[in-house]
Amino acid sequence: MTNKRNIFSRFFRVLVMLHKIPYAYFTEWNNRRKRKALAAGIYFLSILPEFVLLAGTFLAARGQDGYVHPVNVPQKVVFYGLAGLAVLLSAIPLGFWDDKKICKEVRQELRECPRYWKRAIVVYWAVIVAMVVAANIVFPAFSDKTMPPENERTEVPQRWRDYLSLRFAIGARQETPNEALQRLIDQGEHTIRYGQPVYTMQVRKTDMDGEFRAGLQDYATIEEIRDGRRIFAECTWIKGYTPDSIRVLLTVWYEMKKVELCPVDSLEWTEDMEF
């Protein structure tokens, strides 16, 4: 038990010292130049590895819409595990109060074993970079998206710019559905054939002003939509392109019930149409 405690204490001491070294370096550098404006940034400079880990994790988990939404347990474990680790390691410099004492301790350590700490810093950065690379490789592999047969799938780019034009044309919004709704959308025939929708949103009263969603009034009144008595979801996919390279889109409206999505209306339209 004592040996395990000693190993843990040593490991924690190494982690703390790896943060003290850049903290002391930037503190002394700032003191020599008497730039008080940079004093608040010393903390952020001392957690650069954790910032790289956090940014890399978000980059790995970012979807085509630019948002982070893990869809299954393995993806959640990877995302929340690495993000939580980065946050915990970033909290270490928050306990650095006595700058003079820390700088003195760091100078003594570097005098006694400079090569050891140089190698430790290199190894620490290498581990951080390795975790970022592994997350960006492994995270997509945990996707449970069903891939349709090649002869039934339309390969089209569905990126942020695809959604942005619809934002101005028909008032589309990119809302992150909850896990249950996302699962139903992923299992739907349109997602299986065309890939993830460009956007998914809940239809609200303010969305009923134009003609684009006028067909929903055959199934529910504006008052029912406003009061939440009838809830409708709207999904739009890129179905293909015309010979003139104009996008052909498919919009489907579903009524959201407790355990299922019931399609009530659909519209196939091209990007050059006006509503």
Side-chain angles (χ1 to χ4, degrees):
M1 185 70 179
T2 305
N3 291 335
K4 290 181 180 179
R5 189 176 299 169
N6 289 339
I7 292 174
F8 176 79
S9 299
R10 266 191 239 169
F11 178 71
F12 184 73
R13 181 181 179 276
V14 170
L15 282 179
V16 172
M17 187 57 65
L18 287 173
H19 289 82
K20 282 184 177 181
I21 291 174
Y23 184 88
Y25 174 81
F26 289 118
T27 298
E28 291 183 339
W29 178 85
N30 187 52
N31 290 340
R32 285 195 301 268
R33 285 155 180 79
K34 298 181 179 179
R35 296 180 179 177
K36 295 182 179 181
L38 294 177
I42 292 175
Y43 166 76
F44 296 99
L45 291 172
S46 63
I47 61 167
L48 281 177
E50 288 75 25
F51 179 78
V52 171
L53 176 59
L54 190 62
T57 302
F58 274 92
L59 182 64
R62 187 183 64 180
Q64 292 179 342
D65 56 3
Y67 293 91
V68 174
H69 39 75
V71 296
N72 52 39
V73 174
Q75 287 188 345
K76 290 180 179 179
V77 170
V78 173
F79 175 72
Y80 292 115
L82 292 181
L85 177 63
V87 172
L88 288 175
L89 293 175
S90 300
I92 292 177
L94 294 176
F96 298 166
W97 296 103
D98 193 342
D99 292 350
K100 292 182 179 179
K101 183 179 178 181
I102 291 174
C103 293
K104 182 179 179 181
E105 181 183 355
V106 168
R107 284 195 298 269
Q108 183 178 349
E109 286 284 343
L110 293 179
R111 277 198 304 267
E112 292 177 358
C113 42
R115 291 184 179 179
Y116 173 82
W117 290 113
K118 287 180 180 179
R119 291 173 182 173
I121 291 174
V122 172
V123 170
Y124 186 63
W125 269 101
V127 171
I128 293 293
V129 172
M131 286 193 291
V132 171
V133 173
N136 280 270
I137 294 175
V138 173
F139 198 92
F142 288 148
S143 175
D144 57 0
K145 186 190 298 182
T146 304
M147 298 301 292
E150 189 68 26
N151 58 352
E152 295 184 6
R153 187 169 72 251
T154 303
E155 295 291 347
V156 291
Q158 299 189 21
R159 302 187 180 92
W160 175 255
R161 62 175 178 267
D162 297 326
Y163 154 74
L164 198 59
S165 62
L166 302 182
R167 176 75 178 90
F168 297 103
I170 58 174
R173 295 186 307 276
Q174 185 58 270
E175 298 176 351
T176 302
N178 58 46
E179 187 174 351
L181 178 57
Q182 183 65 55
R183 189 182 302 113
L184 292 172
I185 294 173
D186 291 342
Q187 294 172 353
E189 60 175 330
H190 299 103
T191 301
I192 292 175
R193 183 166 186 178
Y194 303 116
Q196 285 294 318
V198 183
Y199 71 88
T200 301
M201 61 177 252
Q202 179 181 336
V203 179
R204 306 184 189 278
K205 178 188 175 183
T206 54
D207 301 321
M208 301 297 295
D209 294 337
E211 298 181 2
F212 183 70
R213 301 172 182 90
L216 282 181
Q217 297 186 39
D218 296 334
Y219 303 93
T221 64
I222 296 180
E223 287 73 19
E224 288 177 322
I225 296 174
R226 179 191 59 193
D227 298 340
R229 285 177 286 167
R230 305 283 295 277
I231 301 176
F232 296 92
E234 177 180 308
C235 300
T236 294
W237 288 267
I238 299 178
K239 189 175 181 181
Y241 292 87
T242 66
D244 299 329
S245 299
I246 299 173
R247 290 190 302 178
V248 179
L249 301 119
L250 174 66
T251 298
V252 180
W253 289 275
Y254 302 91
E255 184 170 3
M256 299 168 60
K257 298 190 176 181
K258 291 184 178 179
V259 294
E260 61 180 342
L261 287 177
C262 299
V264 296
D265 199 6
S266 64
L267 176 66
E268 183 176 319
W269 54 288
T270 56
E271 197 175 17
D272 59 343
M273 294 175 64
E274 295 183 0
F275 297 95

